[in-house]
Amino acid sequence: MPQSLRARIYSASFGGGHHQANTALGDALEKLSPQLVARHTDYLTHLSGFERAIILGFYLGWLRYTPGIYRWYYHFTDRPSEPQLIKDSYRWLGRGRMTRELLEDVPELVVSSYPTPAAVAGWLKETRGLKFLNVLVVTDYRIHEHWVRFEADLMLVPTDESRLQMIERGIPAERVHVTGIPINARYRALIGSDKAALRIKHGLDPALPLLLLSGGGQGTYRSLNRVLTALGNLGRRVQVLVLAGAGRVGVEQLGGAVIHRLGFTTDFPELLAASDLVVGKAGGLTVAESTTLGVPMIVFDPIPGQEEHNAEYLERGGAAVWVRELSGLRPAILRALDPQQHARMSAGARALSVPDAADRAARIILETLEKPL
């Protein structure tokens, strides 16, 4: 191992998940290897204004207004025979700026939690003869074709099932390691914490059920208001947390629900630990964090494709209920709040959890760095 280690860690700010996974992994790497210095970059800043407008515009627009088109695109591109133009785009989007960045200060390690920077980094290794470990961290529970990047030297995946999916798509088995999705160390420290005490700390009622609404950080969750209306009409009193991306901040009464609109907060781990249920989307990081704390999920209107597969994964493990129709939301939440059902679902969530995923991933990366590239 060299006396100093430089790492470039790339995320993509389509949502907060990629960045959170990378931050957790970077912290774990620096803790296990004090000589390592990690520099974090949002890969979208390497795109031209035109590229960023097209990619973000289509992605956010599809999710907000026409999710059916996004579902079609997800499945259309999830095959080895997808159009070569789409497949090759991952090797050149943002290539110019990333090339300049890596050539100015060639690191020993490049980590990506999104396929594009891993593809470009691999192209640079191939064409410029650079020597660094190119790592791809997968943040979904099912392998889409876009995650299948032969350019990566090392792939870190959430589950044994996703490892097999990667191998079935042609990635050599020795490159693929199961680590779980890296999450902040604060979640592990909160396992088994006193929910009532956490609620009091954050000005919440310790006696009322607490539901955390998962709507993502981009404000694209189309069903936010429909879910809030359903929570206000449960027929029992509850309190609901609505976080970043959902508009105004404040407290309001909606039927039998007290709605706390908090906006952005660094207290999310404690608020999640204080909650009885997560209701809404099923992003990969939310799944990893909720299962670590044993908080069941009621999934409704997830992002087509990847979040639907995340919901299936949770449901198979007994950690969630995926509600397909709005009429089923109220009874599903009421059943999940029943003490016996809640205990079963919490146990299912904990059985799926990997609280030390960041440490596992960091150890595998550091062990691989000790081998010749």
Side-chain angles (χ1 to χ4, degrees), residues 8-11 22 41 43 46 98 101-102 110-113 117:
R8 278 280 181 182
I9 302 183
Y10 292 96
S11 58
N22 279 348
T41 301
Y43 189 70
H46 285 327
M98 184 170 174
E101 180 175 78
L102 291 181
V110 173
V111 177
S112 308
S113 60

Side-chain angles (χ1 to χ4, degrees), residues 189-196 198 273-274 293:
L190 286 164
I191 294 173
S193 54
D194 186 327
K195 289 184 182 293
L198 287 174
L293 295 173

Side-chain angles (χ1 to χ4, degrees), residues 292-304:
T292 289
L293 295 173
V295 181
M297 295 185 69
I298 303 297
V299 182
F300 178 72
D301 198 16
I303 288 178

Side-chain angles (χ1 to χ4, degrees), residues 78-366:
D78 188 24
R79 54 200 176 103
S81 60
E82 71 169 315
Q84 197 64 35
L85 178 64
I86 297 175
K87 190 173 295 186
D88 288 347
S89 69
Y90 277 69
R91 293 170 64 95
W92 56 260
L93 283 169
R95 179 192 288 179
R97 295 180 186 179
M98 184 170 174
T99 297
R100 290 191 293 273
E101 180 175 78
L102 291 181
L103 289 179
E104 285 172 4
D105 184 23
V106 181
E108 286 76 34
L109 172 64
V110 173
V111 177
S112 308
S113 60
Y114 191 70
T116 311
V120 174
W123 173 84
L124 276 171
K125 286 188 67 173
E126 175 187 331
T127 59
R128 301 298 181 96
L130 303 183
K131 291 190 179 297
F132 53 76
L133 181 65
N134 188 20
V135 180
L136 178 59
V137 180
V138 178
T139 55
D140 289 321
Y141 286 87
R142 177 188 173 276
I143 302 303
H144 184 279
E145 183 67 21
H146 287 169
W147 285 113
V148 184
R149 302 312 315 185
F150 290 90
E151 301 93 339
D153 304 308
L154 183 65
M155 292 187 164
L156 306 179
V157 299
T159 64
D160 291 324
E161 184 178 56
S162 55
R163 180 175 186 269
L164 289 175
Q165 291 167 358
M166 207 48 111
I167 294 168
E168 287 169 355
R169 290 177 185 247
I171 299 296
E174 63 272 15
R175 293 193 204 174
V176 190
H177 295 260
V178 178
T179 61
I181 296 177
I183 59 173
N184 192 293
R186 292 175 66 188
Y187 292 97
R188 198 184 337 175
L190 286 164
I191 294 173
S193 54
D194 186 327
K195 289 184 182 293
L198 287 174
R199 292 178 191 179
I200 292 170
K201 176 181 177 180
H202 292 284
L204 300 165
D205 190 330
L208 278 183
L210 179 62
L211 313 181
L212 190 152
L213 197 149
S214 171
Q218 294 282 359
T220 57
Y221 187 45
R222 302 187 317 146
S223 292
L224 175 69
N225 291 328
R226 291 195 295 164
V227 171
L228 287 176
T229 299
L231 296 178
N233 291 315
L234 288 177
R236 64 177 296 180
R237 294 174 60 228
V238 294
Q239 49 196 339
V240 180
L241 301 177
V242 182
L243 305 181
R248 62 188 182 280
V249 173
V251 180
E252 63 185 83
Q253 187 77 37
L254 180 63
V258 180
I259 312 296
H260 297 264
R261 297 179 180 269
L262 303 181
F264 174 79
T265 175
T266 58
D267 293 325
F268 182 81
E270 290 191 355
L271 295 170
L272 178 57
S275 299
D276 295 301
L277 292 175
V278 172
V279 181
K281 293 167 77 276
L285 263 290
T286 300
V287 170
E289 293 159 354
S290 299
T291 54
T292 289
L293 295 173
V295 181
M297 295 185 69
I298 303 297
V299 182
F300 178 72
D301 198 16
I303 288 178
Q306 65 264 34
E307 287 194 6
E308 292 175 339
H309 291 297
N310 293 347
E312 289 173 352
Y313 169 74
L314 286 170
E315 205 165 42
R316 282 188 279 117
V321 175
W322 179 10
V323 177
R324 271 73 166 184
E325 301 291 337
L326 183 62
S327 59
L329 189 56
R330 177 179 176 274
I333 292 171
L334 292 174
R335 282 195 299 272
L337 289 175
D338 173 80
Q340 290 186 338
Q341 177 66 5
H342 188 271
R344 285 192 291 270
M345 293 178 71
S346 293
R350 287 190 293 271
L352 296 178
S353 70
V354 189
D356 61 341
D359 287 344
R360 292 187 187 195
R363 281 194 294 269
I364 289 171
I365 289 171
L366 294 173

